[in-house]
Amino acid sequence: MAVPIAVFTSAELDMHSAPAGHPECPARLDAALAGISEAGLIDAVEFRVPRLATAAEIGAAHTVEHVALIKGIAERGGGMIDGDTYMAPGSWTTASRAVGAVLDGVDALRAGECDVAFAASRPPGHHAVADQAMGFCLFNNVAVAAALLAQRGERVAIVDWDVHHGNGTQDIFYDDPRVLYVSTHESPLYPGTGRADETGGPNAPMSNLNLPFPSGTRGDVFRRAVDEVIAPVVARFAPDWLFISAGFDGHRADPLAGLELTSADFADLAVRLQSLVPAGRTLVALEGGYDLEALAYSTGATLSALIGETYRPELASAGEIGVPTIIAAKQRWNL
């Protein structure tokens, strides 16, 4: 019998230790898991320790050289890859397990063992391109799973609501017609990609939808974006799977950005997106989110909504900032 939510996580095995003061730290995972308890979802959840993805599996979205480089840096004791992105001796196994969490989630959904899968792991992944780690990300966890599904002839829609544009996911699938990538993000903001006119490569036109919103955008505009732009684009693509790259750093309390969303807004977005694919084909993967209370609230509200529960620790937000982004997208996408 299927459980409502299978959570693939292993906080006790997290060896991706952070430099002092770094926002991408192990406490983030603790906060996300605390949100499940706070939402009263313990009886609806089965926790599973994810496996380690193999180098061959990771290679579905990354070059052989990149995989070897990440393993080698870990074996040499870690270090800074760039000004934001670090590695510790245990980062190889932790990052491999983060990929494994998404792969195991797909397997559980396919087997009918759960209604929704949540890959609660770190480091996040959506900035990692095929041959480079960046933006706190070592491997692109969601992209690996999507690439493997695409190899089997299945169609995947990735909706990324992290406040930062997922340049890595976009780059990996930009010319791949089997994967639809949708990103709502704040602009201008790191990493500086995600323009509205980036709509796919020559072999995959109109397979890449970016909605760059200005600082201060609130939930009403995001709900309208889903209803008027994202939903028809996803319906046109007709995916077999939905992956939500769930960064919760668009929350109004997050220290790294300026959107004004609340945990209730994320819950609303999740329910709308879930309706776009067949039942039992929605996977949520943790990306960013750096205010710990907001991360807990948002995780709990999102998962609660996906199984029809009503945990709402905050009210939804409303405002008109960002509406021109929707209008422009409807024109560009002929909606």
Side-chain angles (χ1 to χ4, degrees):
M1 182 176 177
V3 297
I5 307 171
V7 178
F8 296 87
T9 191
S10 54
E12 71 281 4
L13 299 176
D14 186 348
M15 296 182 288
H16 183 55
S17 53
H22 199 287
E24 207 298 286
C25 60
R28 294 183 60 246
L29 185 52
D30 295 334
L33 298 177
I36 295 173
S37 177
E38 180 69 22
L41 296 177
I42 292 300
D43 291 342
V45 166
E46 181 178 290
F47 292 95
R48 302 185 183 183
V49 176
R51 64 181 175 84
L52 296 171
T54 66
E57 288 170 328
I58 297 169
H62 291 284
T63 64
V64 172
E65 293 79 10
H66 175 66
V67 176
L69 175 67
I70 296 301
K71 186 174 184 179
I73 293 173
E75 290 173 345
R76 293 190 294 273
M80 297 301 296
I81 294 177
D82 58 32
D84 297 316
T85 311
Y86 64 88
M87 286 191 64
S91 294
W92 163 261
T93 56
T94 303
S96 299
R97 202 177 302 278
V99 176
V102 182
L103 298 179
D104 281 355
V106 169
D107 289 344
L109 288 167
R110 189 189 298 281
E113 298 169 358
C114 58
D115 299 324
V116 175
F118 178 39
S121 54
R122 53 181 296 274
H126 72 151
H127 292 309
V129 297
D131 60 355
Q132 183 179 353
M134 61 181 292
F136 309 163
C137 305
L138 303 181
F139 299 134
N140 198 313
N141 312 318
V142 163
V144 171
L148 290 169
L149 286 170
Q151 289 176 10
R152 298 177 53 156
E154 300 183 70
R155 295 168 68 80
V156 184
I158 302 171
V159 179
D160 184 342
W161 71 42
D162 192 282
V163 77
H164 303 96
H165 178 246
N167 62 295
T169 313
Q170 172 174 299
D171 186 70
I172 289 167
F173 296 116
Y174 198 69
D175 204 29
D176 189 336
R178 304 168 299 179
V179 177
L180 172 69
Y181 179 65
V182 178
S183 177
T184 62
H185 51 275
E186 182 179 340
S187 179
L189 197 66
Y190 179 90
T193 53
R195 297 193 319 271
D197 62 357
E198 296 167 357
T199 57
N203 296 309
M206 308 310 280
S207 67
N208 194 90
L209 169 60
N210 285 320
L211 292 163
F213 288 107
S215 176
T217 303
R218 296 181 178 177
D220 264 7
V221 172
F222 271 72
R223 282 181 283 274
R224 182 175 170 184
V226 172
D227 294 343
E228 298 184 16
V229 181
I230 297 174
V233 169
V234 172
R236 185 185 300 168
F237 180 75
D240 302 301
W241 296 84
L242 169 67
F243 290 173
I244 300 175
S245 276
F248 295 115
D249 38 7
H251 193 282
R252 60 189 177 187
D254 198 272
L256 299 189
L259 295 183
E260 294 287 339
L261 303 179
T262 71
S263 55
D265 297 326
F266 291 120
D268 287 342
L269 299 180
V271 171
R272 282 167 161 79
L273 295 171
Q274 183 185 37
S275 69
L276 302 178
V277 291
R281 289 295 183 267
T282 298
L283 182 143
V284 180
L286 183 63
E287 296 282 2
Y290 305 100
D291 179 272
L292 299 183
E293 183 177 64
L295 180 53
Y297 284 163
S298 300
T299 300
T302 297
L303 296 179
S304 175
L306 286 171
I307 61 169
E309 298 296 334
T310 58
Y311 173 72
R312 295 289 180 105
E314 302 170 295
L315 296 175
S317 64
E320 293 301 315
I321 296 173
V323 170
T325 298
I326 298 174
I327 295 171
K330 292 175 70 174
Q331 294 173 343
R332 184 179 300 277
W333 288 76
N334 194 28
L335 300 173

